[in-house]
Amino acid sequence: MREILFKAKRIDNGKWVEGCYISSHEGTFIQTKCVEHYCVPAVSCKKVIPETLCQFACLTDKNGNKIWENDIFQYTDEAMVTQKDLIEYNETHASFVRLRNTEKLGFQYLLIDEATCNHGEVIGNIFDNKELLLEESDE
């Protein structure tokens, strides 16, 4: 079964929190816990920065780390060239893809599957490590 999970940065301390996504007139929240105490459900929600909201892609990298939307994914291709791609949800393909910016071809959308994930790893995300994508474009 597919696990629908989100993460975002907390407003109060900037730390990442993951769980269920909730949007209301009071803001954007991540529900982190739902426990039952004496038959009464208790829910813990953290207010988050909406621009940092990322969905889990239901895949893990070669190290077992979850792959999220907006992650920077490093992968060595068949020609032994290391690539850095941005993980993004593509509505046209109705799936998560790797967005690659190449000098010759411009932006490319590449499918991300388990085989690719087993040979690559998440090295950061665009919110905390945007410079990792900029390094490649300077070369």
Side-chain angles (χ1 to χ4, degrees), residues 60-65 67 73-74 116-122:
T60 56
D61 68 8
K62 69 180 184 180
N63 302 315
N65 298 317
I67 298 176
F73 184 79
Q74 184 169 283
T116 305
C117 294
N118 290 336
H119 294 92
E121 63 186 327
V122 173

Side-chain angles (χ1 to χ4, degrees), residues 22-104:
I22 299 171
S23 181
S24 76
H25 65 281
E26 294 182 22
T28 303
F29 299 85
I30 296 287
Q31 176 187 327
T32 58
K33 295 179 189 169
C34 184
V35 295
E36 207 170 289
H37 186 68
Y38 296 107
C39 299
V40 177
V43 177
S44 175
C45 293
K46 307 296 180 196
K47 196 167 190 178
V48 297
I49 303 166
E51 295 79 18
T52 65
L53 189 67
C54 305
Q55 187 173 1
F56 176 44
C58 297
L59 295 165
T60 56
D61 68 8
K62 69 180 184 180
N63 302 315
N65 298 317
K66 291 177 182 166
I67 298 176
W68 299 87
E69 180 179 16
N70 298 313
D71 274 348
I72 299 169
F73 184 79
Q74 184 169 283
Y75 171 76
T76 303
D77 63 19
E78 299 82 19
M80 300 308 292
V81 176
T82 300
Q83 305 285 347
K84 292 178 187 169
D85 302 331
L86 178 64
I87 304 300
E88 193 176 272
Y89 183 79
N90 183 283
E91 290 191 23
T92 303
H93 294 97
S95 66
F96 287 94
V97 296
R98 295 178 291 140
L99 176 62
R100 180 175 297 162
N101 186 9
T102 62
E103 194 173 301
K104 292 179 185 176

